[in-house]
Amino acid sequence: MLKTFSTRILQHLISQNSWANAILQPFAGKSVQFIVGFISTSLVILENGSLAIAGETNISDATVTIPPSLLMRLIAKDNTATRQINIEGDTHSAAELAKVFANMRWDYEDDLSQLIGDIPANKI
């Protein structure tokens, strides 16, 4: 259930950032494993340039390891923090996926407007 929910969130974010499909489509079928401390998840790039959570038996083409101490710096867009991320395997697909995540924006106002209406969502 969590995998299905996570995949839907990823696909929703990609649909809000349609420019990302063109960047990711050449890497269709590739998968990238992200490791942050204890947490590990693998994403697979679909043929349409969207993303999904990979299955349990997936063998990743690339592995991105992010030390937990870097998380806050990455969220704050500290460019020097990105140099401390370790990428192994297919670095090109991992780098393009990282570029997509770095430039992706969530249109939360649109999502909120579907729940509470346009005016309240705009005020929030």
Side-chain angles (χ1 to χ4, degrees), residues 82-115:
T82 59
R83 294 186 203 121
Q84 297 175 18
I85 296 172
N86 184 32
I87 301 175
E88 296 175 358
D90 183 0
T91 57
H92 188 60
S93 61
E96 290 300 309
L97 187 56
K99 187 187 308 180
V100 165
F101 281 136
N103 294 304
M104 190 177 286
R105 298 291 174 253
W106 175 33
D107 187 0
Y108 58 87
E109 184 177 335
D110 182 54
D111 290 341
L112 277 175
S113 71
Q114 295 176 19
L115 296 171

PDB file of all heavy atoms in Angstrom, residues 82-115:
ATOM      1  N   THR A  82      25.951  19.178  -2.372  1.00  0.00           N
ATOM      2  CA  THR A  82      25.768  18.194  -3.441  1.00  0.00           C
ATOM      3  C   THR A  82      27.072  17.485  -3.795  1.00  0.00           C
ATOM      4  O   THR A  82      27.039  16.357  -4.267  1.00  0.00           O
ATOM      5  CB  THR A  82      25.189  18.849  -4.706  1.00  0.00           C
ATOM      6  OG1 THR A  82      26.070  19.875  -5.146  1.00  0.00           O
ATOM      7  CG2 THR A  82      23.818  19.424  -4.439  1.00  0.00           C
ATOM      8  N   ARG A  83      28.177  18.108  -3.534  1.00  0.00           N
ATOM      9  CA  ARG A  83      29.483  17.485  -3.834  1.00  0.00           C
ATOM     10  C   ARG A  83      29.813  16.340  -2.879  1.00  0.00           C
ATOM     11  O   ARG A  83      30.703  15.552  -3.143  1.00  0.00           O
ATOM     12  CB  ARG A  83      30.586  18.535  -3.783  1.00  0.00           C
ATOM     13  CG  ARG A  83      30.447  19.556  -4.873  1.00  0.00           C
ATOM     14  CD  ARG A  83      31.633  20.511  -4.903  1.00  0.00           C
ATOM     15  NE  ARG A  83      31.198  21.734  -5.546  1.00  0.00           N
ATOM     16  CZ  ARG A  83      31.219  22.931  -4.993  1.00  0.00           C
ATOM     17  NH1 ARG A  83      31.702  23.077  -3.787  1.00  0.00           N
ATOM     18  NH2 ARG A  83      30.780  23.977  -5.627  1.00  0.00           N
ATOM     19  N   GLN A  84      29.089  16.249  -1.772  1.00  0.00           N
ATOM     20  CA  GLN A  84      29.352  15.205  -0.789  1.00  0.00           C
ATOM     21  C   GLN A  84      28.429  13.999  -0.947  1.00  0.00           C
ATOM     22  O   GLN A  84      28.486  13.069  -0.164  1.00  0.00           O
ATOM     23  CB  GLN A  84      29.229  15.790   0.620  1.00  0.00           C
ATOM     24  CG  GLN A  84      30.259  16.867   0.885  1.00  0.00           C
ATOM     25  CD  GLN A  84      30.065  17.520   2.230  1.00  0.00           C
ATOM     26  OE1 GLN A  84      29.394  16.996   3.102  1.00  0.00           O
ATOM     27  NE2 GLN A  84      30.663  18.686   2.410  1.00  0.00           N
ATOM     28  N   ILE A  85      27.601  14.010  -1.984  1.00  0.00           N
ATOM     29  CA  ILE A  85      26.735  12.870  -2.292  1.00  0.00           C
ATOM     30  C   ILE A  85      27.555  11.859  -3.079  1.00  0.00           C
ATOM     31  O   ILE A  85      28.285  12.218  -4.007  1.00  0.00           O
ATOM     32  CB  ILE A  85      25.509  13.325  -3.106  1.00  0.00           C
ATOM     33  CG1 ILE A  85      24.650  14.269  -2.274  1.00  0.00           C
ATOM     34  CG2 ILE A  85      24.701  12.126  -3.575  1.00  0.00           C
ATOM     35  CD1 ILE A  85      23.514  14.914  -3.045  1.00  0.00           C
ATOM     36  N   ASN A  86      27.442  10.599  -2.714  1.00  0.00           N
ATOM     37  CA  ASN A  86      28.186   9.538  -3.394  1.00  0.00           C
ATOM     38  C   ASN A  86      27.283   8.844  -4.413  1.00  0.00           C
ATOM     39  O   ASN A  86      26.219   8.346  -4.061  1.00  0.00           O
ATOM     40  CB  ASN A  86      28.709   8.533  -2.365  1.00  0.00           C
ATOM     41  CG  ASN A  86      29.559   7.460  -2.998  1.00  0.00           C
ATOM     42  OD1 ASN A  86      30.233   7.708  -3.993  1.00  0.00           O
ATOM     43  ND2 ASN A  86      29.521   6.271  -2.435  1.00  0.00           N
ATOM     44  N   ILE A  87      27.707   8.816  -5.688  1.00  0.00           N
ATOM     45  CA  ILE A  87      26.962   8.152  -6.750  1.00  0.00           C
ATOM     46  C   ILE A  87      27.830   7.050  -7.330  1.00  0.00           C
ATOM     47  O   ILE A  87      28.969   7.297  -7.721  1.00  0.00           O
ATOM     48  CB  ILE A  87      26.559   9.139  -7.861  1.00  0.00           C
ATOM     49  CG1 ILE A  87      25.702  10.265  -7.302  1.00  0.00           C
ATOM     50  CG2 ILE A  87      25.813   8.403  -8.982  1.00  0.00           C
ATOM     51  CD1 ILE A  87      25.364  11.353  -8.313  1.00  0.00           C
ATOM     52  N   GLU A  88      27.276   5.836  -7.386  1.00  0.00           N
ATOM     53  CA  GLU A  88      27.982   4.695  -7.958  1.00  0.00           C
ATOM     54  C   GLU A  88      27.135   4.083  -9.057  1.00  0.00           C
ATOM     55  O   GLU A  88      25.907   4.133  -9.007  1.00  0.00           O
ATOM     56  CB  GLU A  88      28.255   3.645  -6.881  1.00  0.00           C
ATOM     57  CG  GLU A  88      29.171   4.116  -5.784  1.00  0.00           C
ATOM     58  CD  GLU A  88      29.328   3.091  -4.676  1.00  0.00           C
ATOM     59  OE1 GLU A  88      28.689   2.026  -4.742  1.00  0.00           O
ATOM     60  OE2 GLU A  88      30.086   3.371  -3.736  1.00  0.00           O
ATOM     61  N   GLY A  89      27.776   3.491 -10.043  1.00  0.00           N
ATOM     62  CA  GLY A  89      27.056   2.843 -11.138  1.00  0.00           C
ATOM     63  C   GLY A  89      26.829   3.816 -12.282  1.00  0.00           C
ATOM     64  O   GLY A  89      27.724   4.579 -12.648  1.00  0.00           O
ATOM     65  N   ASP A  90      25.644   3.792 -12.853  1.00  0.00           N
ATOM     66  CA  ASP A  90      25.276   4.651 -13.982  1.00  0.00           C
ATOM     67  C   ASP A  90      25.084   6.085 -13.489  1.00  0.00           C
ATOM     68  O   ASP A  90      23.977   6.506 -13.159  1.00  0.00           O
ATOM     69  CB  ASP A  90      24.003   4.119 -14.648  1.00  0.00           C
ATOM     70  CG  ASP A  90      23.600   4.914 -15.881  1.00  0.00           C
ATOM     71  OD1 ASP A  90      24.306   5.879 -16.234  1.00  0.00           O
ATOM     72  OD2 ASP A  90      22.569   4.554 -16.483  1.00  0.00           O
ATOM     73  N   THR A  91      26.165   6.817 -13.456  1.00  0.00           N
ATOM     74  CA  THR A  91      26.131   8.168 -12.890  1.00  0.00           C
ATOM     75  C   THR A  91      25.312   9.136 -13.740  1.00  0.00           C
ATOM     76  O   THR A  91      24.747  10.082 -13.206  1.00  0.00           O
ATOM     77  CB  THR A  91      27.549   8.733 -12.696  1.00  0.00           C
ATOM     78  OG1 THR A  91      28.229   8.713 -13.950  1.00  0.00           O
ATOM     79  CG2 THR A  91      28.327   7.912 -11.682  1.00  0.00           C
ATOM     80  N   HIS A  92      25.246   8.894 -15.043  1.00  0.00           N
ATOM     81  CA  HIS A  92      24.511   9.810 -15.923  1.00  0.00           C
ATOM     82  C   HIS A  92      23.015   9.809 -15.602  1.00  0.00           C
ATOM     83  O   HIS A  92      22.410  10.870 -15.447  1.00  0.00           O
ATOM     84  CB  HIS A  92      24.757   9.450 -17.386  1.00  0.00           C
ATOM     85  CG  HIS A  92      24.212  10.448 -18.349  1.00  0.00           C
ATOM     86  ND1 HIS A  92      24.605  11.768 -18.367  1.00  0.00           N
ATOM     87  CD2 HIS A  92      23.280  10.329 -19.331  1.00  0.00           C
ATOM     88  CE1 HIS A  92      23.952  12.414 -19.310  1.00  0.00           C
ATOM     89  NE2 HIS A  92      23.130  11.558 -19.912  1.00  0.00           N
ATOM     90  N   SER A  93      22.410   8.632 -15.488  1.00  0.00           N
ATOM     91  CA  SER A  93      20.974   8.577 -15.179  1.00  0.00           C
ATOM     92  C   SER A  93      20.706   9.092 -13.769  1.00  0.00           C
ATOM     93  O   SER A  93      19.715   9.795 -13.530  1.00  0.00           O
ATOM     94  CB  SER A  93      20.422   7.164 -15.354  1.00  0.00           C
ATOM     95  OG  SER A  93      21.059   6.262 -14.492  1.00  0.00           O
ATOM     96  N   ALA A  94      21.586   8.786 -12.825  1.00  0.00           N
ATOM     97  CA  ALA A  94      21.411   9.276 -11.449  1.00  0.00           C
ATOM     98  C   ALA A  94      21.519  10.797 -11.401  1.00  0.00           C
ATOM     99  O   ALA A  94      20.752  11.462 -10.695  1.00  0.00           O
ATOM    100  CB  ALA A  94      22.436   8.640 -10.526  1.00  0.00           C
ATOM    101  N   ALA A  95      22.448  11.363 -12.158  1.00  0.00           N
ATOM    102  CA  ALA A  95      22.629  12.814 -12.176  1.00  0.00           C
ATOM    103  C   ALA A  95      21.423  13.514 -12.799  1.00  0.00           C
ATOM    104  O   ALA A  95      20.979  14.560 -12.309  1.00  0.00           O
ATOM    105  CB  ALA A  95      23.894  13.181 -12.934  1.00  0.00           C
ATOM    106  N   GLU A  96      20.866  12.943 -13.866  1.00  0.00           N
ATOM    107  CA  GLU A  96      19.688  13.537 -14.490  1.00  0.00           C
ATOM    108  C   GLU A  96      18.481  13.468 -13.565  1.00  0.00           C
ATOM    109  O   GLU A  96      17.702  14.412 -13.475  1.00  0.00           O
ATOM    110  CB  GLU A  96      19.373  12.858 -15.827  1.00  0.00           C
ATOM    111  CG  GLU A  96      20.386  13.163 -16.906  1.00  0.00           C
ATOM    112  CD  GLU A  96      20.505  14.647 -17.224  1.00  0.00           C
ATOM    113  OE1 GLU A  96      19.478  15.304 -17.476  1.00  0.00           O
ATOM    114  OE2 GLU A  96      21.643  15.158 -17.216  1.00  0.00           O
ATOM    115  N   LEU A  97      18.328  12.350 -12.868  1.00  0.00           N
ATOM    116  CA  LEU A  97      17.233  12.213 -11.911  1.00  0.00           C
ATOM    117  C   LEU A  97      17.396  13.222 -10.766  1.00  0.00           C
ATOM    118  O   LEU A  97      16.435  13.854 -10.338  1.00  0.00           O
ATOM    119  CB  LEU A  97      17.164  10.790 -11.378  1.00  0.00           C
ATOM    120  CG  LEU A  97      15.980  10.439 -10.487  1.00  0.00           C
ATOM    121  CD1 LEU A  97      14.654  10.722 -11.179  1.00  0.00           C
ATOM    122  CD2 LEU A  97      16.047   8.975 -10.090  1.00  0.00           C
ATOM    123  N   ALA A  98      18.629  13.398 -10.308  1.00  0.00           N
ATOM    124  CA  ALA A  98      18.896  14.382  -9.250  1.00  0.00           C
ATOM    125  C   ALA A  98      18.587  15.795  -9.739  1.00  0.00           C
ATOM    126  O   ALA A  98      18.046  16.612  -8.985  1.00  0.00           O
ATOM    127  CB  ALA A  98      20.344  14.282  -8.796  1.00  0.00           C
ATOM    128  N   LYS A  99      18.903  16.082 -10.999  1.00  0.00           N
ATOM    129  CA  LYS A  99      18.607  17.397 -11.574  1.00  0.00           C
ATOM    130  C   LYS A  99      17.092  17.639 -11.606  1.00  0.00           C
ATOM    131  O   LYS A  99      16.624  18.729 -11.293  1.00  0.00           O
ATOM    132  CB  LYS A  99      19.169  17.483 -12.995  1.00  0.00           C
ATOM    133  CG  LYS A  99      19.068  18.854 -13.615  1.00  0.00           C
ATOM    134  CD  LYS A  99      19.479  18.886 -15.086  1.00  0.00           C
ATOM    135  CE  LYS A  99      20.826  18.259 -15.329  1.00  0.00           C
ATOM    136  NZ  LYS A  99      21.215  18.296 -16.753  1.00  0.00           N
ATOM    137  N   VAL A 100      16.343  16.597 -11.955  1.00  0.00           N
ATOM    138  CA  VAL A 100      14.880  16.716 -11.968  1.00  0.00           C
ATOM    139  C   VAL A 100      14.368  17.018 -10.565  1.00  0.00           C
ATOM    140  O   VAL A 100      13.559  17.922 -10.363  1.00  0.00           O
ATOM    141  CB  VAL A 100      14.233  15.437 -12.543  1.00  0.00           C
ATOM    142  CG1 VAL A 100      12.741  15.379 -12.241  1.00  0.00           C
ATOM    143  CG2 VAL A 100      14.472  15.351 -14.044  1.00  0.00           C
ATOM    144  N   PHE A 101      14.844  16.251  -9.571  1.00  0.00           N
ATOM    145  CA  PHE A 101      14.393  16.480  -8.194  1.00  0.00           C
ATOM    146  C   PHE A 101      14.778  17.871  -7.698  1.00  0.00           C
ATOM    147  O   PHE A 101      14.020  18.508  -6.978  1.00  0.00           O
ATOM    148  CB  PHE A 101      14.954  15.421  -7.249  1.00  0.00           C
ATOM    149  CG  PHE A 101      14.217  14.114  -7.310  1.00  0.00           C
ATOM    150  CD1 PHE A 101      14.919  12.926  -7.335  1.00  0.00           C
ATOM    151  CD2 PHE A 101      12.840  14.058  -7.337  1.00  0.00           C
ATOM    152  CE1 PHE A 101      14.267  11.714  -7.384  1.00  0.00           C
ATOM    153  CE2 PHE A 101      12.167  12.854  -7.392  1.00  0.00           C
ATOM    154  CZ  PHE A 101      12.879  11.674  -7.415  1.00  0.00           C
ATOM    155  N   ALA A 102      15.953  18.349  -8.073  1.00  0.00           N
ATOM    156  CA  ALA A 102      16.413  19.657  -7.614  1.00  0.00           C
ATOM    157  C   ALA A 102      15.557  20.793  -8.175  1.00  0.00           C
ATOM    158  O   ALA A 102      15.395  21.829  -7.527  1.00  0.00           O
ATOM    159  CB  ALA A 102      17.872  19.869  -7.991  1.00  0.00           C
ATOM    160  N   ASN A 103      15.019  20.615  -9.375  1.00  0.00           N
ATOM    161  CA  ASN A 103      14.261  21.684 -10.021  1.00  0.00           C
ATOM    162  C   ASN A 103      12.749  21.481  -9.982  1.00  0.00           C
ATOM    163  O   ASN A 103      12.008  22.311 -10.485  1.00  0.00           O
ATOM    164  CB  ASN A 103      14.718  21.830 -11.475  1.00  0.00           C
ATOM    165  CG  ASN A 103      16.142  22.310 -11.545  1.00  0.00           C
ATOM    166  OD1 ASN A 103      16.482  23.346 -11.000  1.00  0.00           O
ATOM    167  ND2 ASN A 103      16.998  21.544 -12.184  1.00  0.00           N
ATOM    168  N   MET A 104      12.305  20.400  -9.380  1.00  0.00           N
ATOM    169  CA  MET A 104      10.885  20.094  -9.311  1.00  0.00           C
ATOM    170  C   MET A 104      10.192  21.005  -8.300  1.00  0.00           C
ATOM    171  O   MET A 104      10.732  21.278  -7.234  1.00  0.00           O
ATOM    172  CB  MET A 104      10.714  18.624  -8.907  1.00  0.00           C
ATOM    173  CG  MET A 104       9.313  18.111  -9.033  1.00  0.00           C
ATOM    174  SD  MET A 104       9.219  16.367  -8.609  1.00  0.00           S
ATOM    175  CE  MET A 104       9.965  15.632 -10.047  1.00  0.00           C
ATOM    176  N   ARG A 105       9.015  21.471  -8.662  1.00  0.00           N
ATOM    177  CA  ARG A 105       8.233  22.320  -7.776  1.00  0.00           C
ATOM    178  C   ARG A 105       6.854  21.699  -7.568  1.00  0.00           C
ATOM    179  O   ARG A 105       6.232  21.218  -8.518  1.00  0.00           O
ATOM    180  CB  ARG A 105       8.047  23.718  -8.360  1.00  0.00           C
ATOM    181  CG  ARG A 105       9.353  24.467  -8.570  1.00  0.00           C
ATOM    182  CD  ARG A 105      10.005  24.833  -7.251  1.00  0.00           C
ATOM    183  NE  ARG A 105      11.315  25.415  -7.467  1.00  0.00           N
ATOM    184  CZ  ARG A 105      12.464  24.808  -7.222  1.00  0.00           C
ATOM    185  NH1 ARG A 105      12.491  23.594  -6.753  1.00  0.00           N
ATOM    186  NH2 ARG A 105      13.613  25.407  -7.441  1.00  0.00           N
ATOM    187  N   TRP A 106       6.363  21.731  -6.339  1.00  0.00           N
ATOM    188  CA  TRP A 106       5.045  21.206  -6.018  1.00  0.00           C
ATOM    189  C   TRP A 106       4.061  22.359  -6.072  1.00  0.00           C
ATOM    190  O   TRP A 106       4.213  23.348  -5.356  1.00  0.00           O
ATOM    191  CB  TRP A 106       5.075  20.559  -4.638  1.00  0.00           C
ATOM    192  CG  TRP A 106       3.751  20.095  -4.140  1.00  0.00           C
ATOM    193  CD1 TRP A 106       2.704  19.604  -4.877  1.00  0.00           C
ATOM    194  CD2 TRP A 106       3.314  20.084  -2.783  1.00  0.00           C
ATOM    195  NE1 TRP A 106       1.651  19.274  -4.056  1.00  0.00           N
ATOM    196  CE2 TRP A 106       1.999  19.560  -2.758  1.00  0.00           C
ATOM    197  CE3 TRP A 106       3.898  20.446  -1.582  1.00  0.00           C
ATOM    198  CZ2 TRP A 106       1.270  19.402  -1.593  1.00  0.00           C
ATOM    199  CZ3 TRP A 106       3.174  20.289  -0.417  1.00  0.00           C
ATOM    200  CH2 TRP A 106       1.878  19.771  -0.429  1.00  0.00           C
ATOM    201  N   ASP A 107       3.030  22.225  -6.887  1.00  0.00           N
ATOM    202  CA  ASP A 107       1.979  23.229  -6.984  1.00  0.00           C
ATOM    203  C   ASP A 107       0.943  22.931  -5.905  1.00  0.00           C
ATOM    204  O   ASP A 107      -0.144  22.440  -6.171  1.00  0.00           O
ATOM    205  CB  ASP A 107       1.351  23.222  -8.379  1.00  0.00           C
ATOM    206  CG  ASP A 107       0.373  24.360  -8.587  1.00  0.00           C
ATOM    207  OD1 ASP A 107       0.171  25.167  -7.645  1.00  0.00           O
ATOM    208  OD2 ASP A 107      -0.193  24.451  -9.692  1.00  0.00           O
ATOM    209  N   TYR A 108       1.307  23.226  -4.665  1.00  0.00           N
ATOM    210  CA  TYR A 108       0.436  22.919  -3.531  1.00  0.00           C
ATOM    211  C   TYR A 108      -0.853  23.730  -3.562  1.00  0.00           C
ATOM    212  O   TYR A 108      -1.884  23.278  -3.088  1.00  0.00           O
ATOM    213  CB  TYR A 108       1.160  23.099  -2.200  1.00  0.00           C
ATOM    214  CG  TYR A 108       1.708  24.479  -1.980  1.00  0.00           C
ATOM    215  CD1 TYR A 108       0.922  25.472  -1.432  1.00  0.00           C
ATOM    216  CD2 TYR A 108       3.022  24.784  -2.325  1.00  0.00           C
ATOM    217  CE1 TYR A 108       1.415  26.749  -1.237  1.00  0.00           C
ATOM    218  CE2 TYR A 108       3.524  26.059  -2.134  1.00  0.00           C
ATOM    219  CZ  TYR A 108       2.721  27.033  -1.593  1.00  0.00           C
ATOM    220  OH  TYR A 108       3.212  28.295  -1.418  1.00  0.00           O
ATOM    221  N   GLU A 109      -0.820  24.938  -4.138  1.00  0.00           N
ATOM    222  CA  GLU A 109      -2.038  25.745  -4.202  1.00  0.00           C
ATOM    223  C   GLU A 109      -3.104  25.041  -5.043  1.00  0.00           C
ATOM    224  O   GLU A 109      -4.281  25.019  -4.680  1.00  0.00           O
ATOM    225  CB  GLU A 109      -1.736  27.120  -4.781  1.00  0.00           C
ATOM    226  CG  GLU A 109      -2.946  28.036  -4.788  1.00  0.00           C
ATOM    227  CD  GLU A 109      -2.638  29.431  -5.305  1.00  0.00           C
ATOM    228  OE1 GLU A 109      -1.475  29.866  -5.232  1.00  0.00           O
ATOM    229  OE2 GLU A 109      -3.582  30.073  -5.787  1.00  0.00           O
ATOM    230  N   ASP A 110      -2.699  24.452  -6.161  1.00  0.00           N
ATOM    231  CA  ASP A 110      -3.645  23.732  -7.007  1.00  0.00           C
ATOM    232  C   ASP A 110      -4.218  22.516  -6.277  1.00  0.00           C
ATOM    233  O   ASP A 110      -5.422  22.260  -6.337  1.00  0.00           O
ATOM    234  CB  ASP A 110      -2.953  23.288  -8.309  1.00  0.00           C
ATOM    235  CG  ASP A 110      -3.909  22.578  -9.243  1.00  0.00           C
ATOM    236  OD1 ASP A 110      -4.970  23.147  -9.553  1.00  0.00           O
ATOM    237  OD2 ASP A 110      -3.599  21.438  -9.635  1.00  0.00           O
ATOM    238  N   ASP A 111      -3.361  21.785  -5.574  1.00  0.00           N
ATOM    239  CA  ASP A 111      -3.825  20.614  -4.833  1.00  0.00           C
ATOM    240  C   ASP A 111      -4.763  21.010  -3.694  1.00  0.00           C
ATOM    241  O   ASP A 111      -5.789  20.370  -3.466  1.00  0.00           O
ATOM    242  CB  ASP A 111      -2.641  19.811  -4.292  1.00  0.00           C
ATOM    243  CG  ASP A 111      -1.864  19.122  -5.398  1.00  0.00           C
ATOM    244  OD1 ASP A 111      -2.418  18.952  -6.507  1.00  0.00           O
ATOM    245  OD2 ASP A 111      -0.711  18.747  -5.163  1.00  0.00           O
ATOM    246  N   LEU A 112      -4.423  22.079  -2.981  1.00  0.00           N
ATOM    247  CA  LEU A 112      -5.292  22.550  -1.899  1.00  0.00           C
ATOM    248  C   LEU A 112      -6.632  23.062  -2.424  1.00  0.00           C
ATOM    249  O   LEU A 112      -7.668  22.865  -1.793  1.00  0.00           O
ATOM    250  CB  LEU A 112      -4.607  23.664  -1.106  1.00  0.00           C
ATOM    251  CG  LEU A 112      -3.647  23.251  -0.019  1.00  0.00           C
ATOM    252  CD1 LEU A 112      -2.970  24.471   0.579  1.00  0.00           C
ATOM    253  CD2 LEU A 112      -4.345  22.457   1.054  1.00  0.00           C
ATOM    254  N   SER A 113      -6.616  23.711  -3.578  1.00  0.00           N
ATOM    255  CA  SER A 113      -7.858  24.274  -4.120  1.00  0.00           C
ATOM    256  C   SER A 113      -8.883  23.191  -4.425  1.00  0.00           C
ATOM    257  O   SER A 113     -10.089  23.440  -4.347  1.00  0.00           O
ATOM    258  CB  SER A 113      -7.574  25.100  -5.374  1.00  0.00           C
ATOM    259  OG  SER A 113      -7.221  24.264  -6.452  1.00  0.00           O
ATOM    260  N   GLN A 114      -8.431  21.995  -4.728  1.00  0.00           N
ATOM    261  CA  GLN A 114      -9.352  20.890  -4.980  1.00  0.00           C
ATOM    262  C   GLN A 114     -10.005  20.414  -3.683  1.00  0.00           C
ATOM    263  O   GLN A 114     -11.087  19.833  -3.712  1.00  0.00           O
ATOM    264  CB  GLN A 114      -8.626  19.747  -5.665  1.00  0.00           C
ATOM    265  CG  GLN A 114      -8.142  20.119  -7.049  1.00  0.00           C
ATOM    266  CD  GLN A 114      -7.327  19.030  -7.703  1.00  0.00           C
ATOM    267  OE1 GLN A 114      -7.389  17.881  -7.308  1.00  0.00           O
ATOM    268  NE2 GLN A 114      -6.546  19.402  -8.709  1.00  0.00           N
ATOM    269  N   LEU A 115      -9.355  20.666  -2.565  1.00  0.00           N
ATOM    270  CA  LEU A 115      -9.903  20.258  -1.274  1.00  0.00           C
ATOM    271  C   LEU A 115     -10.734  21.338  -0.598  1.00  0.00           C
ATOM    272  O   LEU A 115     -11.795  21.064  -0.036  1.00  0.00           O
ATOM    273  CB  LEU A 115      -8.768  19.845  -0.324  1.00  0.00           C
ATOM    274  CG  LEU A 115      -7.939  18.633  -0.724  1.00  0.00           C
ATOM    275  CD1 LEU A 115      -6.746  18.492   0.196  1.00  0.00           C
ATOM    276  CD2 LEU A 115      -8.804  17.380  -0.672  1.00  0.00           C
TER     277      LEU A 115
END
